[in-house]
Amino acid sequence: KNQVEQSPQSLIILEGKNCTLQCNYTVSPFSNLRWYKQDTGRGPVSLTIMTFSENTKSNGRYTATLDADTKQSSLHITASQLSDSASYICVVSDRGSTLGRLYFGRGTQLTVWP
Amino acid sequence: EADIYQTPRYLVIGTGKKITLECSQTMGHDKMYWYQQDPGMELHLIHYSYGVNSTEKGDLSSESTVSRIRTEHFPLTLESARPSHTSQYLCASSEYKTSGRNTGELFFGEGSRLTVL
């Protein structure tokens, strides 16, 4: 069964600290992995998209890594800010069809305290 | 920022009412989607469309219906709302390329929070 599991479910850190969110998946055949940020009551916004051949991608203070062999990804946030408080969702796309099916994780709820 | 808009953002209605959630995008994307999201849960695909006059049901069974008469417009309709329909509804769009590298990046609207009393 194709699944996307994220950990931890929730995380609280102090402003200025770094943190790492995890995503494990069993989706096969793999096409790409995406990380989204979703503020409370808003729609998700794309942070990164990585294909099989990419093992790291950065977007400002966000750095995503991908290990396609172990089917794991992480999202590292550097020097956290209050505005980083949000849910971070891992999404994996398969190659089962031309357009690819998306499998969503439940997200990690990050809270940054001052 | 993504040019995809949803209205209304919030809606509280009584059981049995008919409602339509609007979704419009100005990016010329062929593919559009409707997702349902409950607190702390993953997004579930309820409808999608490859283009004009194309609509398909998603993974999660839904009593809602959709239409795609224009590329930019993908409304969702509930003929008779019930409390079980209370949820957040997210519209999204993406490019559909028949060749070449396609990231299929999704652009989401801000969502419509529906509460049925």
Side-chain angles (χ1 to χ4, degrees), chain A residues 31-65:
Chain A
S31 176
N32 59 68
L33 184 145
R34 314 135 184 253
W35 283 94
Y36 287 86
K37 177 187 179 188
Q38 185 176 23
D39 293 319
T40 301
R42 310 288 292 271
V45 174
S46 179
L47 294 175
T48 63
I49 299 177
M50 288 184 292
T51 59
F52 185 88
S53 60
E54 298 172 300
N55 55 23
T56 186
K57 184 168 277 189
S58 292
N59 178 359
R61 294 179 297 102
Y62 301 101
T63 300
T65 64

Side-chain angles (χ1 to χ4, degrees), chain B residues 50-108:
Chain B
Y50 293 126
V52 172
N53 294 325
S54 153
T55 61
E56 303 285 346
K57 288 190 178 296
D59 306 318
L60 183 67
S61 175
S62 174
E63 295 167 347
S64 58
T65 59
V66 292
S67 62
R68 191 86 183 275
I69 299 173
R70 303 198 315 267
T71 298
E72 63 271 22
H73 196 213
F74 192 41
L76 180 146
T77 298
L78 272 168
E79 290 292 334
S80 180
R82 294 203 302 271
S84 61
H85 296 137
T86 294
S87 189
Q88 167 97 329
Y89 293 85
L90 289 162
C91 180
S93 71
S94 67
E95 284 187 290
Y96 171 33
K97 298 177 181 177
T98 56
S99 62
R101 185 167 179 266
N102 178 18
T103 62
E105 183 170 359
L106 275 182
F107 295 90
F108 284 90

Side-chain angles (χ1 to χ4, degrees), chain A residues 1 5 10 18-19 33 39 46 52 66 81 99-100 102 111:
Chain A
K1 179 182 178 183
E5 300 287 344
S10 62
N18 304 334
C19 68
L33 184 145
D39 293 319
S46 179
F52 185 88
L66 173 64
Q81 300 176 356
L99 299 175
L102 298 179
T111 303

Side-chain angles (χ1 to χ4, degrees), chain B residues 43-54:
Chain B
L43 277 71
H44 291 285
L45 181 68
I46 51 176
H47 297 283
Y48 61 98
S49 166
Y50 293 126
V52 172
N53 294 325
S54 153

